[in-house]
Amino acid sequence: MGRWEGPRDLLASTGADWDRRIFRLQVLAEAGARLRFADTWAKAEPRSPHALALLANVQALRAMIAGQGGGRSLMEEAWATCRTALGVWPDDVAPLVVMLALLRAHAPDRATLRQVWAEIKQRDPWNREAHHEVVTYLFQRYHGRPGEAMWWAEEQASIAPRGLPIAVLPLVVIAEAHRSRQERDQTAYGLTIHPWIDCPQIDPVLERWWRYRAPGPHACFADDANYLAHAPSFANRHSEAAEVFDAIGPYATHLPWAYCGQAEDLFLRHRAWAYNPPRRRHP
């Protein structure tokens, strides 16, 4: 209906909680990409950092939907909105995360990537979404060289303070490598041959994030927890996966389960195996 008062109040109450702010902006942008309330709000309040940040997210999403052809002008429009938003609220991390997404989708300029990354590190050095944007940029299907994404992910996971979900990054890279290999050879590579058996990246995630995580979940907890439940499940470490399933509750995510088959079926099957009493001695 073009109303933007609700998003304004929500983002104003979120304040400088960058984790929640970025998540809420992305959720609002999914609706705003096909509606006009973000555009209307930015016209009504052109100096609002919240309106500008939401509009930047919306414009970036529209540019990605349009693709390489028609998306270039939309990408430039979104980039300009990000710069305007930073001019209004220089400390805001959200426009910089949008810039990382735009670089991945439309302008693989590593010099600019390093500049944007440096600005983010000054404001919020362990921002979860920014790390995921960079590691996705380094996937081979985007702009990375072989092995580069895993090298970067493991480096970031090793230097991040304990208790942060940055530790999950290597599992994200493994899942992407599995998806890519399946795409190349769908007949000989799948559920029976996969990279999670004897996977050395599982234990560091348990020790660096899971055992020391904050009592209150971060905004993308369900995404990260599903990656962690998925890896030990496919490694036949079901008793360890059980406590992760406990924390996930009903909040299954499409990825990474969909990389191995029908996402819902696989989630339910492995959760049932984790809760099978012979595999789990303690309730």
Side-chain angles (χ1 to χ4, degrees):
M1 298 175 67
R3 295 176 181 172
W4 41 265
E5 293 82 1
R8 179 186 61 188
D9 295 344
L10 174 68
L11 293 171
S13 67
T14 307
D17 181 345
W18 307 128
D19 177 60
R20 288 286 189 276
R21 176 174 174 79
I22 292 168
F23 179 82
R24 290 171 175 175
L25 284 167
Q26 291 175 341
V27 173
L28 289 168
E30 290 181 11
R34 54 185 174 80
L35 302 174
R36 304 299 299 177
F37 70 88
D39 309 76
T40 305
W41 181 15
K43 288 179 182 178
E45 297 186 349
R47 297 297 294 171
S48 165
H50 310 307
L52 290 167
L54 178 57
L55 183 60
N57 275 269
V58 166
Q59 291 172 334
L61 190 53
R62 289 171 182 163
M64 293 175 193
I65 293 171
Q68 290 289 338
R72 182 68 191 190
S73 61
L74 294 172
M75 178 264 184
E76 293 171 353
E77 185 180 32
W79 192 273
T81 303
C82 290
R83 281 298 177 201
T84 304
L86 288 169
V88 175
W89 191 6
D91 292 337
D92 194 1
V93 180
L96 294 166
V97 174
V98 174
M99 287 177 164
L100 291 180
L102 290 168
L103 287 168
R104 168 174 54 83
H106 288 285
D109 180 350
R110 293 217 173 193
T112 305
L113 179 76
R114 286 191 291 270
Q115 292 172 6
V116 174
W117 179 246
E119 291 192 46
I120 290 173
K121 294 292 280 186
Q122 290 175 1
R123 292 164 172 80
D124 189 19
W126 301 110
N127 184 275
R128 185 257 184 206
E129 198 63 25
H131 279 77
H132 277 260
E133 283 294 346
V134 173
V135 83
T136 305
Y137 178 100
L138 296 174
F139 287 168
Q140 280 188 259
R141 64 175 159 132
Y142 287 109
H143 315 295
R145 295 179 288 273
E148 188 177 18
M150 180 56 82
W151 177 86
W152 190 85
E154 290 188 330
E155 179 190 49
Q156 296 300 311
S158 68
I159 63 177
R162 279 182 169 178
L164 297 184
I166 305 300
V168 178
L169 286 172
L171 298 183
V172 175
V173 178
I174 291 172
E176 163 62 17
H178 178 73
R179 182 210 62 81
S180 178
R181 187 169 176 182
Q182 270 195 314
E183 193 175 73
R184 294 193 306 269
D185 189 0
Q186 297 180 5
T187 59
Y189 190 75
L191 287 176
T192 56
I193 304 176
H194 57 73
W196 290 281
I197 296 293
D198 298 325
C199 175
Q201 285 82 8
I202 295 174
D203 287 324
V205 182
L206 290 168
E207 293 302 323
R208 295 199 62 83
W209 172 48
W210 192 253
R211 308 293 184 217
Y212 296 91
R213 70 190 188 281
H218 60 283
C220 287
F221 174 82
D223 299 83
D224 293 329
N226 272 266
Y227 271 94
L228 181 54
H230 176 272
S233 291
F234 273 79
N236 293 321
R237 296 168 59 172
H238 295 290
S239 61
E240 291 168 291
E243 64 175 290
V244 187
F245 281 113
D246 282 341
I248 290 171
Y251 301 108
T253 57
H254 187 64
L255 299 179
W257 304 97
Y259 289 158
C260 300
Q262 295 296 321
E264 183 177 354
D265 292 345
L266 287 172
F267 177 88
L268 293 174
R269 184 188 311 162
H270 283 282
R271 187 176 67 178
W273 287 342
Y275 290 157
N276 192 341
R279 296 178 180 272
R280 188 182 183 194
R281 295 180 181 177
H282 303 290

